[in-house]
Amino acid sequence: AVVSTQSTGSMAIASAYAVNYLYTSELAPTTHRGMVMSLSSSCARVGSFLGIYTNLLYDITDRRVVLALFAGLTMVYITAVFFLADTTGKRIPETPYDVEVMAGNEKYVPVNGTDVEKAKLEKV
């Protein structure tokens, strides 16, 4: 029973990580996707490294301290989600120019050719 429970938990964690990895890549604009995925992967690596050491807290402190640590972090994340903007039905920006237009930055100077072409098309 213990082995099957551990295997089920391991599969659930692996599938949640895979879904999160795929979902994160779809949230980022195309031009920033590599940077966002690198940052996401780096945070996951740091988290997996530090997660091992939280088990050592059981030897030093009471069990409730470790559980409070994870519960507290979960509550912080839940609270942060409530402050995210609703993007239902809105177009996701694909270039830095699109981000600047959505932000209302009038002083944006296009850098590469695609942004210049878009700027010319929108001014006409």
Side-chain angles (χ1 to χ4, degrees), residues 86-110:
D86 184 22
T87 59
T88 305
K90 294 182 182 176
R91 186 175 156 271
I92 297 175
E94 296 181 10
T95 65
Y97 180 74
D98 294 340
V99 173
E100 294 295 337
V101 168
M102 287 181 71
N105 187 359
E106 301 295 329
K107 298 178 182 178
Y108 176 69
V109 178

Side-chain angles (χ1 to χ4, degrees), residues 3-4 15 17 24 40-41 55 61 82 108 118-119 121:
V3 173
S4 64
S15 63
Y17 181 76
T24 302
S40 175
S41 182
N55 194 27
T61 63
F82 284 116
Y108 176 69
K118 280 189 174 185
L121 289 175

Side-chain angles (χ1 to χ4, degrees), residues 43-96:
C43 290
R45 300 292 177 206
V46 170
S48 66
F49 176 75
L50 293 178
I52 295 169
Y53 290 103
T54 57
N55 194 27
L56 297 175
L57 288 176
Y58 280 119
D59 299 335
I60 300 170
T61 63
D62 188 33
R63 185 179 101 196
R64 291 176 286 190
V65 172
V66 178
L67 295 175
L69 174 71
F70 285 112
L73 287 174
T74 302
M75 295 308 289
V76 168
Y77 300 146
I78 289 172
T79 305
V81 166
F82 284 116
F83 291 105
L84 291 174
D86 184 22
T87 59
T88 305
K90 294 182 182 176
R91 186 175 156 271
I92 297 175
E94 296 181 10
T95 65

